[in-house]
């Protein structure tokens, strides 16, 4: 019980930037990775708090890198396979943060994390677990990881390409299925031919993940999603627009913060291009229009 209480306390403390630094400086990363490695047969409460504390610490890029280097990827993947919703949801959150870093993304692939995340993305009862698993997969296969993959020799090239291509196709297939689960074809068809706010509101209502309004993304994370809107993959474009929709819906705890970051990054121009692109799926176009409407709402609200 004392380990559970300690991990829970560190999870709560990790929501504060200065606390995250202090926990890491005091050896918290190593201690929590060790705890995660040793709690495969522990109570769901301890597992949830161990994964949650690592999720909280991994908000910091330096901590995220340290968690990967200390061996934290494998135990988090194991916890993501848990049948307990609270456990696999917190593990998915931690893996989402870790996957932002290319070295960690490669570790997740090498440790067999893609099937675990795909399973969560397609079968968890938690919408948030499915959402964060989809975002982790999107980070892993948006092209950034490829840039840092070691160059293979001619004899190794074929097998290495295949080893990345298979999980990439698996990931994209399940990301697409996840997003389509939040779509209503009739509502999309109506929104495609109408500029009426009610048409977009109907799509938003169907797509909204209530708990996603509590997520707080950094400027670099927002930039990653904006860049993903230009990705050659139509599935990743749609995923990026879907993610930006979730975190800018008016009423979300950090929606104004996200809108400010997006406006500063010139996201509106990219969103307009995505909404108008002839080769974009209808879902990406409509989601991009909704995000633009959300940004306009926050801009007007801020000027009042």
């Amino acid at each position: 019980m004392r380990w559970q209480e300690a991990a829970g306390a560190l999870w709560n403390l990790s929501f504060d930037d200065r606390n995250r630094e202090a926990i890491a400086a005091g050896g918290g990363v190593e201690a929590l990775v060790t705890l995660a490695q040793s709690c495969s047969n522990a109570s769901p409460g301890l597992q949830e708090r161990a994964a949650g504390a690592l999720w909280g610490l991994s908000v910091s890029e330096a901590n995220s890198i340290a968690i990967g280097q200390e061996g934290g990827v494998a135990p988090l993947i194991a916890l993501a396979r848990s049948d307990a919703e609270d456990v696999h949801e917190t593990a998915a959150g931690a893996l989402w943060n870790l996957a932002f870093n290319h070295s960690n993304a490669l570790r997740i692939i090498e440790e067999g994390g893609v099937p675990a995340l795909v399973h969560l993305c397609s079968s968890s009862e938690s919408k948030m677990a499915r959402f964060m698993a989809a975002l982790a997969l999107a980070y892993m296969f948006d092209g950034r990881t490829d840039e840092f993959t070691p160059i293979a020799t001619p004899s190794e090239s074929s097998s290495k390409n295949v080893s990345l291509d298979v999980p990439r196709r698996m990931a994209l297939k399940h990301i697409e299925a996840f997003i389509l689960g939040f779509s209503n074809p009739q509502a999309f068809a109506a929104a495609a031919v109408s500029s009426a706010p009610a048409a977009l509101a109907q799509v938003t209502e169907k797509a909204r993940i209530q708990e996603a309004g509590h997520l707080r993304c950094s400027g670099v994370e927002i930039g990653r999603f904006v860049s993903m809107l230009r990705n050659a993959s139509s599935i990743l474009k749609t995923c990026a627009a879907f993610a930006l929709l979730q975190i800018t819906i008016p009423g979300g705890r950090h929606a104004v913060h996200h809108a400010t970051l997006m406006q500063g990054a010139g996201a509106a121009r990219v969103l307009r291009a995505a909404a108008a692109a002839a080769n974009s799926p209808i879902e990406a176009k409509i989601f991009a229009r909704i995000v633009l409407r959300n940004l306009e709402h926050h801009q007007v609200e801020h000027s009042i």
Side-chain angles (χ1 to χ4, degrees):
M1 183 63 73
R2 65 189 180 89
W3 289 112
Q4 183 170 314
E5 291 173 352
L10 290 172
W11 186 6
N12 288 331
L13 289 169
S14 70
F15 291 119
D16 179 81
D17 292 345
R18 286 175 296 182
N19 286 343
R20 277 195 296 271
E21 292 179 10
I23 292 168
V29 169
E30 297 86 344
L32 286 165
V33 167
T34 299
L35 179 62
Q37 289 170 334
S38 64
C39 72
S40 57
N41 296 317
S43 69
L46 175 56
Q47 293 177 336
E48 177 196 5
R49 287 160 180 77
L54 287 171
W55 181 10
L57 288 183
S58 65
V59 169
S60 155
E61 185 176 10
N63 288 345
S64 175
I65 292 169
I67 290 167
Q69 291 174 339
E70 289 294 328
V73 168
L76 284 169
I77 292 171
L79 293 174
R81 294 192 179 102
S82 170
D83 291 331
E85 187 175 301
D86 289 341
V87 175
H88 67 234
E89 184 178 297
T90 50
L95 289 169
W96 169 38
N97 282 347
L98 292 182
F100 188 87
N101 174 267
H102 62 87
S103 295
N104 284 335
L106 287 172
R107 287 188 183 98
I108 295 170
I109 295 169
E110 291 166 358
E111 295 284 353
V114 173
L117 289 166
V118 159
H119 178 72
L120 278 189
C121 189
S122 60
S123 65
S124 175
E125 292 294 322
S126 163
K127 290 181 181 180
M128 275 298 286
R130 284 157 43 211
F131 180 46
M132 293 186 292
L135 296 184
L137 291 168
Y139 279 171
M140 290 158 61
F141 296 108
D142 69 351
R144 300 282 184 94
T145 302
D146 296 355
E147 296 173 14
F148 297 93
T149 303
I151 298 174
T153 63
S155 61
E156 297 173 323
S157 177
S158 176
S159 62
K160 289 210 174 188
N161 287 338
V162 170
S163 69
L164 277 180
D165 185 56
V166 171
R168 179 186 287 110
R169 284 189 280 110
M170 182 192 305
L172 293 180
K173 174 184 174 182
H174 285 83
I175 291 171
E176 180 178 36
F178 163 73
I179 295 170
L180 290 178
F182 290 85
S183 67
N184 179 323
Q186 291 180 328
F188 275 109
V193 297
S194 171
S195 58
L200 294 181
Q202 189 176 358
V203 174
T204 303
E205 187 61 30
K206 172 68 175 175
R208 185 173 194 171
I209 300 172
Q210 198 73 31
E211 300 88 344
H214 297 290
L215 295 174
R216 181 182 175 91
C217 295
S218 67
V220 289
E221 288 174 303
I222 293 291
R224 183 81 170 257
F225 288 131
V226 173
S227 294
M228 213 181 286
L229 289 169
R230 303 189 186 99
N231 199 282
S233 165
S234 62
I235 295 171
L236 290 178
K237 285 180 184 175
T238 306
C239 181
F242 182 79
L244 292 171
L245 180 156
Q246 300 297 336
I247 63 174
T248 58
I249 292 177
R253 182 181 295 179
H254 303 294
V256 174
H257 164 74
H258 296 142
T260 301
L261 290 175
M262 290 175 67
Q263 288 162 354
R269 176 175 54 82
V270 183
L271 285 161
R272 283 193 290 269
N279 61 345
S280 287
I282 186 171
E283 293 84 6
K285 292 180 179 182
I286 302 302
F287 290 153
R289 283 174 56 196
I290 293 170
V291 178
L292 284 166
R293 187 191 65 167
N294 292 346
L295 294 183
E296 290 168 5
H297 170 91
H298 294 303
Q299 193 168 29
V300 169
E301 189 178 62
H302 185 70
S303 64
I304 293 174

